[in-house]
Amino acid sequence: MYTANYTDSQLFDLGAFEASLQTTTQHLGIFRSVLEKGHATLRKRFQTNMNATEYVHQRAWLVDQLLQHAFNKMFVTPYREHIALVAVGGYGRGELHPCSDVDIMLLLDVQPDAEIQAIIGQFITFLWDIRLEIGHSVRTVAECHTEACNDITIATNLLEARLLVGSNDLFQQLQICSEVWTTKDFFASKVAEQQRRHNKFYDTAYNLEPNIKEGPGGLRDIHMVGWVAKRHFGAQRDLGSTSLHDLVSHGFLTEEEYHSLTEAQEFLWRIRCFLHLLTGRREDRILFDYQRSLANAFGYQDTKTQLGVELFMKQYYRTMMELRSLNDMLLQLFDEAIIYANAPAVKKSLNKRFQVHNDYIEVRHDKVFMNYPFALLEIFLLMEQHPEINGVRASTIRLIRQYRHLIDDAFHRDLRSRSLFFEIMRQPQGITHALRCMSRYGVLAAYIPAFGKVVGQMQYDLFHVYTVDQHSIFVVRNLRRFMIPKHHDEFPLCSKIMLSLPKPELLYLAGLFHDIGKGRGGDHSKIGESEALNFCQAHGLSDFDGRLVAWLVRNHLVMSTTAQRQDISDPEVIKKFAQQVADTTRLDYLYLLTVADIRATSPNLWNGWKDSLLASLYRKTQQMLSTGLTGIDNRRAHIEEIQAAARQLLADPANVHVDVLWKDLSDDYFLRATPETIAKETETILNHADLDEPLVWERQQTQGITEIMQYLRDRPYIFGETTAFLEQQGLTIVDACIAPTEGQHTISEYMVLSADGSELKDPVHIQAILDGLKQTLTHKGSIKFVPVNRRIPRQIKHFPVPTCIIFTQDYANDHTVMEVVTTDRPGLLSRIGQTFISCEIRLKTAKIATFGARVEDIFYITDLNNHALFSADQLDCIREQLSNLLDADEPIQPMMMNV
C-alpha cells in the first residue's frame, strides 16, 4: 500500500538534491538527472527481485518529490493559497508503472489571471522539459463540480484525487465534487461502463492478444471494485484509508479471497511493468511481439508438449478467470448492499436446497453443498429450468468456490451427479449460459478433469483466436443457436438438420470434447476420442451413442479438410468421404459440428465461401449415401446426366455447335457447374463472335463468393497473368481451375473474395475488375509482372512457416500434385504463377487453404504438353525458384516476361 511518508535516500536523496539546487540556477538539469537516476534505480531493483507493487508505489513517491519541489519553486507563497496541485487517476492512487502518464490537476479557486496563466504555463513546460510524461488539466472548484455532474469518468477521477502540495482548503472543497452522483447512480453507471468495455473485447478475456488493463478480468475490473468501495463506504480520501483489505472488514471479501485478489493484481502489475520496460512506452496489450519475451522474463521454458509462451499465457488466462469471478461476486454483493439496500427480500422456494432471492438463486442454508454435493450441478440445472433467474447470488458463488473440491471420484460415481449433468445438456434452453457459469466457477473443470487441463490453454498461432476452453463453449453456443427459431434465417440448412436430430445432447458433448486433447502432445483428435468414449461409458450412455460422440471427436476436422483441400466436384472425392462417414446420421452430426467449430475459431474465419463449400459437400454426400455408394460411381455417366439436364435448358437444344463445344470442354468443367450454369455459359460462348478475343464474365452460381470465368485462346501462362492482376486489385483467390479444351481454347474459373474475406457485392467494382482482367489478357508478347508488395500484417511476422514444397505423381490423371506449405503473405499466388512461367508449367487446378499464418496450397500441374512432370530438372527448377521467391526478405522487383 502506498504511503506518502515513505523515504528512500537511494531513490531520492533530499539533502543532496536541495544542496544541488543551491549551487546553480540551472535547475532543469538537476531535476532531469534525479528523475533519470531514479528510474534507472527502480528498473535495476525490479529486474533483480523487487515486486511490481513496490515498483509502482516507489515510482509514484519519486514523482511526488519532484513535483512538490517544482511546484514550490514556481509558485511562491502568495499564490499557494489559491492553487493546489492534485494527483488524479492511477497516480492519485499512488500507482505509477514505468511509462504510465503522470495525471495531475492544477486546482484554482477562481479563473486565473494572465499572471497566473503564465506561471502555470512555465510549470507545465518545466515538467515536460525534465521528461516527465504528464497529463494535466487546469480547473476551478466550480468547473470540477460542473464537469463531475456531467461526466461519470471525471467524478471517478476526483474520487481518487490526492493532494500533493498547495491549498488544503481547495482540496477539501474538491472532495464534495466527487459525491455529486448518488451511490446508486454511481454504481449503476460504473456497472454499465464495465459492460460496454467488456463488449469491446467480445466479453471474453481470452483473446490471444489481450489488453491487460481494459479487457475483462483486467486491472480496470480491480479499479472498478475500488471505486465502488470508496464511494459506498464514504471513507476519507487520504491514500490507503480505503484499501482492498477494507472489503474484508466490511464482509465483502474473505481473507482468502483478498489474497487471491492481491496476488492476481501483483501478477498483472508485474506483466504491465515488463511490458512498459520492454517497449519503452505505455503498452497495455500483450501482443505476439512481446509474449515470448514475457514468458522468458517469467521463467517459462518449452516442454515436450507445450511452448513456454503457451504456459505463460495459460497462467495469465487463469488469473483473468479468477479475477472475473471475484469481480462478479463483489459487484453482486455491492448490488445487494446499494441497489437493494432497503428493498424487501422477495424469496421463492425451488426445492429443499435452493430458493430464488430477489431474482438470484441461492442455497437455503450454508451446509447445502456439504450435505448434498450433487447440488453443485443441480444449481445450474435449476437456472436452465427457470430462465427468470438472473444469476447465482454472491454468497452462493462463494460457497460453490469453497466446496467444489467435493467433486471427486465419489461424486462422479454418484448416479445423481451423472444424471444431473446430462439433464443440463438436454435442456431446451440455457445450456450455453449454464456451461459458462460452470466454467467460471470452476465446476466444469472439476467435473470433467480433461476439460480442466485446457482451461486457459492457448495455441500459439493466428488460426485459433480463443483459448481451447472458451472455443469449446463457443462451439456449443453455435450449435445451440441452430435450435433457436429466431436465428433460423442465419443458417437455414443447419437449423433444419438440427431440429431433426434425435439426440442433440450428443452433439453438444462432442463440441465440448472435440479439442479436449490439445496441449498434451500427439494427435489431439485421438486423445479426445479416448477421453470422450471413457466419459460416455462412465455415464451409462449406450454403446452406439458413446461411439458416435467419440467418432465425431476423432473426425471433427475431416469435413473441413475435405471441403477446403480437395476437389469436391470430383465424384471420387465424394465417394471416399462418404465411405469414411458411412451413414447419414453421422453426416448430419458432423456437418453441424464442422460449421459450429469453424465459426467459433475466429470471428473473421467464417465466410460465405466456406458456407457454400460445406453445404455442397453435405448435399453431395447425402445424395450418395441415400442412393448407395455406387449411385454416382460412374464418372462418365454422371457427366452425361448433367449434360442432358443442361441441354433441356438451352434455347436450341438441337444446335450442332453445342455438341462441338461440349466435346471440346473438359470433364472438370461439367463436374464443377450446375446444368443451369452450363446452359447459360454455353450460349454465351457460342454467341461470342471473335474467338480470338478473351471472354471474361462473372458466374453467379455459388453464394458468398465471386466467380470469375475466362474463355480464351490457350496459352501456358494464364494462371500467372490472372493471379498477378487479381492480387494487384487487393483480392484473395480461394480456388482456381484452369481447364484446357480439346481444341485451342482454355476455360478457367477463379473464386475470389475481398482482402478481408468478405464477398464482393458492388456490381460496378466487379465489372471494373472484369474489364481490367480482359484488358490484361488481350496483350500480345511480353507482360510486366508487378508483384504485390503490400505490408505483411504485424502478427504474421511472429509465426514464420518454413517453406516446404512436396511433389507427388498422379499417374491415373497424368498430372503432378505440388503441395506448398509456407507463410501467408500478400501476392503469394502471383509469385507462384511467376514461377510456373519461368519453369514452363501449366496449372490445371489449385486448392487454396490458409490457416492463420500458415498456407497449405495444392496445385495440380503439367508440362506444356499437358503431361505429368517427370523431369528432375523441371522439378528442381520449380523448387529452387519458388523457394527463392517465397523466402525473399526484400520486396520482389517488377520484371518483364515473354509469354
Side-chain angles (χ1 to χ4, degrees):
M1 183 171 64
Y2 178 85
T3 172
N5 297 323
Y6 174 80
T7 57
D8 187 336
S9 59
Q10 291 183 337
L11 190 59
F12 179 81
D13 189 330
L14 177 60
F17 177 73
E18 291 181 339
S20 298
L21 294 178
Q22 296 297 324
T23 61
T24 179
T25 59
Q26 302 300 316
H27 293 173
L28 188 148
I30 296 173
F31 275 81
R32 181 186 296 173
S33 175
V34 169
L35 183 63
E36 290 176 350
K37 180 183 176 183
H39 285 165
T41 299
L42 287 172
R43 182 175 189 137
K44 183 177 180 180
R45 289 177 179 178
F46 181 70
Q47 292 174 337
T48 306
N49 58 13
M50 184 171 71
N51 64 43
T53 303
E54 293 174 319
Y55 185 106
V56 299
H57 291 329
Q58 288 183 22
R59 181 171 183 246
W61 177 83
L62 170 65
V63 172
D64 281 358
Q65 312 313 305
L66 294 175
L67 283 178
Q68 289 163 358
H69 281 82
F71 181 89
N72 289 331
K73 174 178 177 294
M74 293 285 186
F75 296 94
V76 294
T77 302
Y79 300 120
R80 294 179 195 168
E81 298 177 1
H82 307 285
I83 190 168
L85 181 61
V86 180
V88 294
Y91 182 38
R93 295 190 300 271
E95 303 165 5
L96 277 183
H97 289 78
C99 296
S100 293
D101 285 348
V102 178
D103 292 328
I104 58 173
M105 179 173 63
L106 287 157
L107 183 65
L108 308 173
D109 54 358
V110 294
Q111 288 291 338
D113 57 23
E115 184 179 3
I116 291 293
Q117 285 182 343
I119 297 174
I120 290 173
Q122 293 171 12
F123 178 67
I124 298 300
T125 300
F126 181 81
L127 298 184
W128 279 106
D129 286 344
I130 67 173
R131 297 174 184 167
L132 202 58
E133 298 282 339
I134 64 167
H136 76 281
S137 61
V138 180
R139 291 194 178 102
T140 65
V141 174
E143 288 173 333
C144 288
H145 186 275
T146 301
E147 293 292 334
C149 289
N150 296 331
D151 190 336
I152 188 69
T153 303
I154 292 177
T156 305
N157 276 337
L158 297 182
L159 192 66
E160 298 180 311
R162 175 170 60 93
L163 178 64
L164 293 172
V165 63
S167 172
N168 185 60
D169 289 341
L170 280 177
F171 182 71
Q172 293 303 318
Q173 295 176 45
L174 180 67
Q175 303 308 292
I176 302 173
C177 298
S178 65
E179 299 175 0
V180 294
W181 291 64
T182 67
T183 303
K184 284 187 177 181
D185 289 343
F186 182 85
F187 175 71
S189 296
K190 298 310 289 186
V191 170
E193 181 184 274
Q194 175 174 289
Q195 189 56 56
R196 289 193 299 270
R197 177 166 47 82
H198 286 184
N199 289 341
K200 292 180 181 179
F201 301 92
Y202 300 99
D203 200 27
T204 177
Y206 296 86
N207 296 298
L208 293 190
E209 291 187 303
N211 188 305
I212 194 171
K213 182 178 179 182
E214 302 291 343
L219 289 168
R220 193 61 87 195
D221 284 4
I222 300 177
H223 300 159
M224 168 73 171
V225 170
W227 294 330
V228 176
K230 280 186 179 182
R231 183 67 189 88
H232 177 56
F233 298 136
Q236 296 179 4
R237 301 312 194 279
D238 54 299
L239 210 87
S241 62
T242 302
S243 68
L244 289 174
H245 193 267
D246 287 336
L247 293 171
V248 177
S249 59
H250 285 286
F252 285 82
L253 281 177
T254 65
E255 282 288 351
E256 183 181 355
E257 290 164 347
Y258 166 74
H259 287 300
S260 293
L261 193 61
T262 54
E263 285 175 8
Q265 178 176 259
E266 166 62 26
F267 180 68
L268 297 186
W269 275 1
R270 190 164 180 78
I271 293 176
R272 195 175 187 220
C273 283
F274 269 118
L275 273 173
H276 286 198
L277 294 173
L278 184 65
T279 62
R281 63 177 184 273
R282 187 184 62 185
E283 178 60 83
D284 295 326
R285 300 165 300 166
I286 309 181
L287 302 179
F288 290 126
D289 309 52
Y290 321 128
Q291 288 179 9
R292 286 187 180 274
S293 297
L294 287 169
N296 291 334
F298 277 75
Y300 289 93
Q301 303 295 323
D302 294 351
T303 68
K304 291 182 179 179
T305 58
Q306 289 184 270
L307 298 174
V309 65
E310 292 177 337
L311 295 170
F312 164 71
M313 292 303 295
K314 188 173 188 175
Q315 179 61 40
Y316 170 81
Y317 292 125
R318 291 189 170 195
T319 300
M320 295 294 95
M321 187 175 181
E322 175 70 6
L323 276 175
R324 187 82 187 271
S325 177
L326 288 171
N327 177 267
D328 285 351
M329 185 183 70
L330 284 168
L331 292 188
Q332 193 184 126
L333 288 170
F334 289 147
D335 189 63
E336 293 178 5
I338 297 171
I339 303 298
Y340 294 101
N342 300 315
V346 178
K347 298 182 180 181
K348 173 187 172 183
S349 176
L350 296 176
N351 59 30
K352 66 178 183 179
R353 290 173 293 278
F354 294 100
Q355 63 187 11
V356 178
H357 181 121
N358 289 346
D359 299 328
Y360 286 86
I361 191 170
E362 68 173 358
V363 291
R364 300 189 70 166
H365 58 83
D366 60 8
K367 298 294 189 295
V368 164
F369 295 128
M370 184 174 70
N371 296 336
Y372 309 98
F374 65 83
L376 287 163
L377 290 177
E378 182 186 19
I379 187 173
F380 301 104
L381 176 61
L382 291 171
M383 289 174 66
E384 291 176 309
Q385 295 172 341
H386 298 272
E388 70 276 7
I389 294 175
N390 288 336
V392 183
R393 197 166 182 224
S395 56
T396 300
I397 293 175
R398 177 172 287 143
L399 290 171
I400 291 173
R401 292 164 56 91
Q402 180 181 343
Y403 287 108
R404 64 192 175 196
H405 70 277
L406 296 177
I407 304 177
D408 53 14
D409 290 343
F411 186 97
H412 285 92
R413 290 193 299 269
D414 190 333
L415 178 60
R416 292 170 296 182
S417 300
R418 300 199 302 268
S419 300
L420 281 166
F421 180 82
F422 268 90
E423 278 303 304
I424 289 171
M425 302 299 286
R426 290 189 182 106
Q427 291 303 300
Q429 60 187 358
I431 294 177
T432 305
H433 180 62
L435 290 176
R436 282 176 172 162
C437 290
M438 290 169 70
S439 176
R440 186 173 297 176
Y441 305 144
V443 172
L444 191 58
Y447 189 71
I448 307 177
F451 189 85
K453 294 178 181 179
V454 297
V455 170
Q457 175 66 49
M458 76 170 292
Q459 297 166 86
Y460 195 63
D461 59 38
L462 288 178
F463 185 61
H464 302 88
V465 174
Y466 305 109
T467 56
V468 176
D469 55 320
Q470 287 297 298
H471 163 71
S472 300
I473 293 176
F474 282 157
V475 170
V476 177
R477 178 203 63 180
N478 290 340
L479 293 170
R480 285 289 305 145
R481 199 174 177 93
F482 298 150
M483 291 283 285
I484 301 173
K486 69 178 181 180
H487 298 305
H488 285 179
D489 61 321
E490 296 177 350
F491 296 89
L493 177 59
C494 291
S495 294
K496 179 181 177 182
I497 297 169
M498 192 74 182
L499 293 172
S500 71
L501 293 185
K503 296 181 179 180
E505 67 270 16
L506 301 181
L507 186 56
Y508 305 146
L509 198 59
L512 207 55
F513 273 82
H514 79 287
D515 275 352
I516 212 164
K518 287 189 171 178
R520 302 197 219 173
D523 186 336
H524 79 278
S525 297
K526 292 181 180 179
I527 296 171
E529 175 189 31
S530 176
E531 291 281 4
L533 186 59
N534 291 339
F535 184 87
C536 291
Q537 290 174 341
H539 283 73
L541 269 69
S542 69
D543 185 65
F544 177 86
D545 289 350
R547 294 195 179 279
L548 174 59
V549 174
W551 182 88
L552 287 169
V553 173
R554 173 67 180 272
N555 295 279
H556 71 273
L557 296 174
V558 171
M559 193 168 192
S560 63
T561 301
T562 301
Q564 296 181 73
R565 293 178 58 82
Q566 298 190 50
D567 184 1
I568 62 173
S569 67
D570 186 345
E572 287 301 317
V573 171
I574 303 300
K575 180 180 179 180
K576 183 178 179 181
F577 176 68
Q579 288 172 332
Q580 190 168 2
V581 174
D583 60 59
T584 56
T585 299
R586 281 183 171 183
L587 177 65
D588 287 346
Y589 279 91
L590 182 60
Y591 171 63
L592 295 173
L593 179 59
T594 303
V595 174
D597 187 17
I598 295 175
R599 292 187 63 233
T601 300
S602 165
N604 302 319
L605 187 61
W606 183 260
N607 54 40
W609 166 236
K610 289 185 174 68
D611 189 5
S612 295
L613 271 181
L614 290 170
S616 178
L617 177 57
Y618 171 81
R619 290 189 175 99
K620 291 177 179 180
T621 308
Q622 184 189 48
Q623 181 184 4
M624 183 170 283
L625 291 170
S626 299
T627 58
L629 291 177
T630 58
I632 316 179
D633 204 12
N634 190 314
R635 179 185 177 98
R636 186 67 249 164
H638 181 46
I639 292 172
E640 290 174 356
E641 288 178 9
I642 295 172
Q643 290 176 337
R647 189 180 294 276
Q648 297 300 315
L649 300 173
L650 292 170
D652 182 8
N655 187 338
V656 294
H657 296 293
V658 172
D659 294 326
V660 174
L661 176 61
W662 285 6
K663 184 177 180 181
D664 200 29
L665 296 174
S666 69
D667 289 349
D668 286 341
Y669 172 77
F670 293 100
L671 291 171
R672 293 173 69 94
T674 65
E676 293 78 10
T677 297
I678 293 169
K680 181 179 178 180
E681 293 178 351
T682 295
E683 293 177 342
T684 298
I685 294 172
L686 292 179
N687 292 331
H688 186 54
D690 186 358
L691 294 181
D692 287 327
E693 180 184 350
L695 184 60
V696 181
W697 70 94
E698 179 191 6
R699 172 187 282 180
Q700 296 178 329
Q701 173 178 286
T702 307
Q703 292 184 345
I705 197 80
T706 300
E707 299 175 81
I708 296 177
M709 300 297 298
Q710 304 168 344
Y711 184 78
L712 69 162
R713 288 285 183 185
D714 185 34
R715 57 176 184 261
Y717 311 124
I718 295 171
F719 176 76
E721 299 171 68
T722 303
T723 54
F725 172 80
L726 293 177
E727 291 190 325
Q728 286 162 16
Q729 309 309 306
L731 301 177
T732 298
I733 302 168
V734 297
D735 199 4
C737 180
I738 295 86
T741 67
E742 296 295 327
Q744 299 179 346
H745 289 77
T746 291
I747 189 164
S748 306
E749 174 189 14
Y750 296 86
M751 297 193 172
V752 301
L753 296 168
S754 62
D756 63 1
S758 61
E759 180 183 1
L760 301 176
K761 294 184 178 180
D762 182 1
V764 176
H765 182 208
I766 294 173
Q767 188 59 51
I769 292 170
L770 298 177
D771 293 342
L773 180 57
K774 180 178 179 179
Q775 184 178 356
T776 297
L777 296 172
T778 305
H779 73 84
K780 294 182 180 180
S782 300
I783 64 168
K784 183 178 182 180
F785 266 86
V786 181
V788 180
N789 287 321
R790 295 194 302 273
R791 183 181 63 85
I792 297 176
R794 169 187 58 79
Q795 293 93 337
I796 286 180
K797 297 178 182 179
H798 300 284
F799 300 93
V801 179
T803 297
C804 178
I805 303 169
I806 302 172
F807 297 102
T808 55
Q809 301 297 344
D810 185 344
Y811 298 103
N813 294 300
D814 195 19
H815 60 228
T816 299
V817 181
M818 181 183 78
E819 182 175 359
V820 177
V821 178
T822 190
T823 305
D824 188 26
R825 75 211 71 181
L828 175 66
L829 285 183
S830 61
R831 296 187 183 195
I832 294 174
Q834 186 176 326
T835 300
F836 289 167
I837 294 176
S838 298
C839 299
E840 299 183 333
I841 301 299
R842 279 184 182 271
L843 174 74
K844 290 179 64 178
T845 306
K847 296 295 292 183
I848 314 302
T850 304
F851 306 95
R854 182 183 181 89
V855 165
E856 297 181 6
D857 294 347
I858 299 175
F859 302 90
Y860 301 87
I861 56 179
T862 68
D863 60 20
L864 297 185
N865 296 316
N866 297 317
H867 297 299
L869 305 174
F870 294 107
S871 166
D873 291 340
Q874 207 163 22
L875 295 177
D876 288 342
C877 171
I878 300 172
R879 183 179 284 110
E880 180 179 353
Q881 292 208 25
L882 192 53
S883 295
N884 289 338
L885 282 173
L886 296 183
D887 293 337
D889 292 328
E890 300 299 324
I892 304 298
Q893 300 302 313
M895 63 181 297
M896 298 298 296
M897 302 194 96
N898 293 319
V899 296

